[in-house]
Amino acid sequence: MNQVITFFAKLGAMLHPWMSEISTALVACCIVMFATDINRFLRKTLVRRGFLVRTCVFVLVNAFGYGLAIVSISPWLAGQLKSMPSQWMLLLVLAAFFAVGAWAQRNRQV
């Protein structure tokens, strides 16, 4: 069992230099999954508004809202993942990507 833990720890340690990119990818995947619901809600909410208002809200939410979420959440997530023991961080990253992939499959986004 110690050999398996040591192997996972070595693999996890190899991910540390790319933790910023990994966390950005994970946050972006989650935003892609939530974006459909958010945009549907905005479309229902703004149905009676004018073209200019709908366009401005769309740009604000999609460009600035999602962009701000990626820029602000990714460094925090990277820091949280780096503070974990390497073997658990590796398993958590793999599980998170598999969970997002399963979620996307269930919602027919893949």
Side-chain angles (χ1 to χ4, degrees), residues 15 21 35 42 48 50 73 77 80-81 91 99 107 109:
L15 294 180
E21 290 82 2
L42 287 174
R48 300 206 193 300
I73 295 172
L77 181 60
Q80 296 299 313
L81 290 172
L91 293 174
N107 289 337
Q109 299 231 0

Short mmCIF file of all heavy atoms in Angstrom, two decimals, residues 15 21 35 42 48 50 73 77 80-81 91 99 107 109:
data_model
loop_
_atom_site.label_atom_id
_atom_site.label_comp_id
_atom_site.label_asym_id
_atom_site.label_seq_id
_atom_site.Cartn_x
_atom_site.Cartn_y
_atom_site.Cartn_z
N LEU A 15 2.50 17.41 -10.96
CA LEU A 15 1.46 18.35 -11.37
C LEU A 15 1.63 19.75 -10.78
O LEU A 15 1.04 20.70 -11.28
CB LEU A 15 0.08 17.82 -10.99
CG LEU A 15 -0.41 16.56 -11.68
CD1 LEU A 15 -1.79 16.19 -11.17
CD2 LEU A 15 -0.42 16.74 -13.18
N GLU A 21 -2.61 26.22 -14.41
CA GLU A 21 -3.32 25.84 -15.64
C GLU A 21 -4.41 24.82 -15.36
O GLU A 21 -5.50 24.88 -15.94
CB GLU A 21 -2.34 25.30 -16.68
CG GLU A 21 -1.43 26.35 -17.27
CD GLU A 21 -0.21 26.67 -16.42
OE1 GLU A 21 -0.02 26.05 -15.35
OE2 GLU A 21 0.56 27.55 -16.82
N ALA A 35 -22.98 27.92 -17.68
CA ALA A 35 -23.31 29.02 -18.59
C ALA A 35 -24.65 28.80 -19.30
O ALA A 35 -25.40 29.76 -19.51
CB ALA A 35 -22.20 29.20 -19.62
N LEU A 42 -31.12 34.39 -18.00
CA LEU A 42 -31.05 35.77 -18.48
C LEU A 42 -31.99 36.00 -19.66
O LEU A 42 -32.63 37.04 -19.76
CB LEU A 42 -29.62 36.12 -18.89
CG LEU A 42 -28.63 36.31 -17.74
CD1 LEU A 42 -27.23 36.51 -18.29
CD2 LEU A 42 -29.05 37.48 -16.86
N ARG A 48 -38.49 40.91 -22.35
CA ARG A 48 -39.26 42.10 -22.69
C ARG A 48 -38.39 43.36 -22.81
O ARG A 48 -38.89 44.45 -23.01
CB ARG A 48 -40.34 42.34 -21.66
CG ARG A 48 -41.31 41.17 -21.56
CD ARG A 48 -42.65 41.59 -21.05
NE ARG A 48 -43.54 40.53 -20.65
CZ ARG A 48 -44.01 39.56 -21.41
NH1 ARG A 48 -43.60 39.45 -22.64
NH2 ARG A 48 -44.85 38.67 -20.94
N GLY A 50 -35.22 45.72 -24.44
CA GLY A 50 -34.79 46.07 -25.78
C GLY A 50 -33.50 45.35 -26.18
O GLY A 50 -32.79 44.78 -25.34
N ILE A 73 -11.23 32.96 -9.25
CA ILE A 73 -11.38 31.65 -8.60
C ILE A 73 -10.17 30.76 -8.86
O ILE A 73 -9.76 30.00 -7.97
CB ILE A 73 -12.68 30.96 -9.05
CG1 ILE A 73 -13.88 31.77 -8.57
CG2 ILE A 73 -12.78 29.55 -8.52
CD1 ILE A 73 -15.21 31.29 -9.12
N LEU A 77 -8.21 28.40 -6.17
CA LEU A 77 -8.28 26.94 -6.30
C LEU A 77 -6.88 26.34 -6.40
O LEU A 77 -6.60 25.31 -5.77
CB LEU A 77 -9.12 26.55 -7.51
CG LEU A 77 -9.31 25.06 -7.75
CD1 LEU A 77 -9.98 24.39 -6.56
CD2 LEU A 77 -10.10 24.83 -9.02
N GLN A 80 -5.37 26.24 -2.97
CA GLN A 80 -5.98 25.20 -2.15
C GLN A 80 -5.45 23.82 -2.56
O GLN A 80 -5.17 22.99 -1.70
CB GLN A 80 -7.51 25.23 -2.28
CG GLN A 80 -8.16 26.48 -1.75
CD GLN A 80 -7.89 26.67 -0.28
OE1 GLN A 80 -8.02 25.76 0.52
NE2 GLN A 80 -7.49 27.87 0.08
N LEU A 81 -5.33 23.59 -3.85
CA LEU A 81 -4.84 22.30 -4.32
C LEU A 81 -3.36 22.10 -3.98
O LEU A 81 -2.95 21.00 -3.61
CB LEU A 81 -5.06 22.16 -5.83
CG LEU A 81 -6.50 22.00 -6.27
CD1 LEU A 81 -6.60 22.07 -7.80
CD2 LEU A 81 -7.10 20.70 -5.76
N LEU A 91 -5.56 12.70 -6.79
CA LEU A 91 -6.84 12.00 -6.82
C LEU A 91 -8.02 12.98 -6.91
O LEU A 91 -8.99 12.73 -7.63
CB LEU A 91 -6.98 11.10 -5.59
CG LEU A 91 -6.00 9.92 -5.55
CD1 LEU A 91 -6.11 9.18 -4.22
CD2 LEU A 91 -6.24 8.98 -6.71
N ALA A 99 -15.79 14.03 -12.75
CA ALA A 99 -17.13 14.46 -12.34
C ALA A 99 -17.69 15.49 -13.31
O ALA A 99 -18.87 15.42 -13.70
CB ALA A 99 -17.07 15.04 -10.92
N ASN A 107 -25.77 15.99 -19.20
CA ASN A 107 -26.49 17.15 -19.74
C ASN A 107 -26.37 17.27 -21.25
O ASN A 107 -26.71 18.32 -21.82
CB ASN A 107 -26.00 18.44 -19.08
CG ASN A 107 -26.44 18.55 -17.65
OD1 ASN A 107 -27.41 17.93 -17.25
ND2 ASN A 107 -25.72 19.32 -16.87
N GLN A 109 -23.81 17.70 -23.19
CA GLN A 109 -22.94 18.78 -23.63
C GLN A 109 -21.69 18.22 -24.30
O GLN A 109 -20.85 18.97 -24.76
CB GLN A 109 -22.56 19.67 -22.46
CG GLN A 109 -23.74 20.31 -21.82
CD GLN A 109 -23.57 21.80 -21.67
OE1 GLN A 109 -22.58 22.37 -22.06
NE2 GLN A 109 -24.58 22.42 -21.13
#
